[in-house]
């Protein structure tokens, strides 16, 4: 079990996973496991100390990076340091919410090369300044049942809660150009599709606790779009904002879109940082921001 972490309190996650693993191993003698947490040079020394102390008490391997690697590279570091035949990736802002989470993964392991569990939103209420991320996540709930994801297995891959056989990771490492937030999961899904790797989506859930503030989520979105631009094809041929921007370029109106965005950006940001942000405005902001990035690149 591989958990990349940065400025996160992983104590409960480590404890819940260690407890379930030990319980499953007690009744299944052929089941072995290890838990590794990778601390990506966190700036919160209090959390690092707390996590390290908890890891030592639970028999969890705690790897502290000397400098920040970025989540993709850190996942690769953890995979190289591990010994298991199956790699279960879990984000540090996840919470175990079922008593049989590990048992279900162990039972599902032979069914496919990659097993993707489910993401479940936490229950409201949330702070007023978190409404954008919450509305975005609520809108995505319609695409989260396993039945839907199995109809679109590669497009819906995410490493938030996913297990793969080691040979898959050895063929497709996480893209280390993704130093910051965004698109490393989607790119890996495209690579899996190209190689014909089998994916099974299940309803084995973890709760996603990372409901960012509006300002943080908007910053992450901009960072992700900057990452997308550097990745190029095939990722830009599949991501929504880049596909729309590509159409605008073919219609010779990309520059117009970028200029309109420049004029409206401040007003759109104020709306998105407010208490009642619209997802329609958010989607327009994403396209406009990417169009402005693409236009700047074309100028140079």
């Amino acid at each position: 079990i591989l958990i990349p972490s940065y400025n996160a309190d992983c104590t409960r996650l480590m404890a819940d996973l260690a407890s379930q693993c030990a319980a499953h191993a007690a009744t299944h003698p052929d089941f072995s496991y290890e838990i590794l947490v990778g601390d990506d040079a966190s700036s919160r020394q209090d959390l690092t100390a707390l996590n390290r102390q908890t890891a030592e008490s639970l028999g969890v391997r705690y790897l502290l990076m000397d400098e920040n690697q970025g989540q993709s590279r850190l996942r690769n570091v953890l995979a190289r340091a591990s010994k298991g035949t199956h790699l279960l990736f879990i984000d540090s802002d996840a919470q175990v919410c079922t008593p049989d989470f590990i048992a279900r993964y162990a039972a599902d392991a032979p069914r496919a090369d990659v097993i993707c569990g489910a993401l479940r939103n936490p229950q409201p209420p949330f702070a007023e300044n978190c409404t954008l991320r919450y509305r975005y996540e609520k809108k995505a709930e319609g695409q989260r049942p396993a039945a839907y994801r199995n109809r679109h297995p590669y497009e819906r891959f995410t490493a938030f809660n996913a297990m793969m056989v080691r040979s898959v990771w050895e063929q497709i490492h996480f893209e280390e150009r993704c130093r910051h937030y965004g698109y490393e999961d989607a790119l890996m899904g495209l690579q899996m599709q190209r190689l014909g790797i089998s994916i099974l989506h299940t309803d084995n859930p973890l709760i996603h606790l990372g409901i960012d503030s509006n300002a943080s989520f908007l910053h992450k979105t901009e960072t992700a779009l900057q990452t997308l631009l550097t990745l190029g094809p095939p990722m830009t041929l599949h991501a929504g904002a880049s596909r729309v921007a590509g159409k605008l370029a073919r219609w010779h109106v990309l520059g117009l879109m970028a200029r309109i965005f420049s004029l409206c950006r401040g007003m759109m940001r104020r709306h998105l940082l407010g208490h009642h942000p619209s997802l329609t405005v958010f989607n327009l902001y994403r396209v406009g921001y990417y169009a402005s990035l693409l236009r700047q690149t074309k100028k140079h």
Side-chain angles (χ1 to χ4, degrees):
I1 302 175
L2 310 178
I3 305 170
S5 173
Y6 180 76
N7 285 349
D9 181 349
C10 302
T11 55
R12 179 177 176 181
L13 180 60
M14 286 189 283
D16 289 344
L17 293 170
S19 175
Q20 287 200 19
C21 284
H24 193 72
T27 56
H28 296 77
D30 59 338
F31 177 78
S32 61
Y33 67 94
E34 59 178 345
I35 303 173
L36 290 80
V37 173
D39 186 321
D40 203 9
S42 294
S43 60
R44 289 281 304 275
Q45 299 303 313
D46 56 333
L47 292 178
T48 296
L50 180 63
N51 288 333
R52 189 200 296 272
Q53 182 180 15
T54 301
E56 289 175 356
S57 70
L58 295 170
V60 172
R61 293 176 63 191
Y62 195 80
L63 283 64
L64 178 60
M65 302 297 107
D66 294 330
E67 59 183 27
N68 189 269
Q69 307 290 309
Q71 184 156 273
S72 288
R73 182 177 294 177
L74 183 56
R75 283 175 176 153
N76 290 334
V77 168
L78 288 169
R80 290 188 190 97
S82 68
K83 303 180 180 67
T85 59
H86 289 74
L87 308 177
L88 174 52
F89 292 94
I90 298 176
D91 282 2
S92 60
D93 59 357
Q95 178 180 304
V96 178
C97 56
T98 56
D100 59 346
F101 175 75
I102 292 297
R104 289 177 66 179
Y105 262 120
D108 286 335
R111 300 178 64 191
D113 298 326
V114 177
I115 310 291
C116 282
L119 182 153
R120 184 180 293 175
N121 288 328
Q123 293 299 311
F126 298 102
E128 287 187 348
N129 68 342
C130 295
T131 48
L132 178 60
R133 181 64 184 263
Y134 179 65
R135 291 183 179 187
Y136 179 85
E137 295 295 343
K138 286 294 291 183
K139 177 72 181 239
E141 283 184 348
Q143 300 177 349
R144 288 187 177 148
Y148 178 91
R149 289 182 286 128
N150 279 316
R151 292 196 296 271
H152 312 274
Y154 301 103
E155 294 91 333
R156 306 312 303 173
F157 171 78
T158 169
F160 170 79
N161 171 16
M163 183 173 68
M164 63 184 69
V165 295
R166 175 174 288 276
S167 60
V168 169
W169 172 78
E170 289 172 346
Q171 292 179 78
I172 315 172
H173 288 41
F174 286 94
E175 176 54 70
E176 296 189 359
R177 287 180 295 166
C178 299
R179 287 296 307 273
H180 305 290
Y181 180 82
Y183 291 102
E184 68 272 15
D185 295 354
L187 184 56
M188 180 169 271
L190 291 177
Q191 293 170 317
M192 290 177 180
Q193 184 176 26
R194 177 175 57 83
L195 294 174
I197 290 167
S198 61
I199 299 182
L200 173 69
H201 290 268
T202 72
D203 283 319
N204 193 10
L206 289 172
I207 294 175
H208 176 225
L209 299 176
I211 302 297
D212 309 275
S213 69
N214 295 357
S216 174
F217 186 49
L218 196 57
H219 174 70
K220 283 184 174 181
T221 298
E222 292 175 350
T223 300
L225 292 171
Q226 294 165 21
T227 298
L228 175 61
L229 185 65
T230 66
L231 294 176
M235 195 63 253
T236 50
L237 301 176
H238 289 80
S242 54
R243 285 191 293 110
V244 173
K247 289 181 179 179
L248 294 175
R250 291 193 295 274
W251 297 338
H252 305 290
V253 293
L254 182 70
L256 176 62
M257 179 66 184
R259 287 193 293 273
I260 293 173
F261 176 75
S262 178
L263 292 171
C264 299
R265 182 179 182 182
M267 180 177 61
M268 295 172 76
R269 281 186 64 86
R270 287 192 294 274
H271 170 78
L272 294 172
L273 297 178
H275 298 320
H276 305 288
S278 161
L279 291 182
T280 299
V281 175
F282 177 62
N283 289 330
L284 288 171
Y285 186 94
R286 293 171 65 208
V287 173
Y289 186 83
Y290 188 83
S292 66
L293 292 177
L294 191 58
R295 185 164 178 259
Q296 291 172 14
T297 301
K298 289 182 179 297
K299 280 184 176 181
H300 292 88

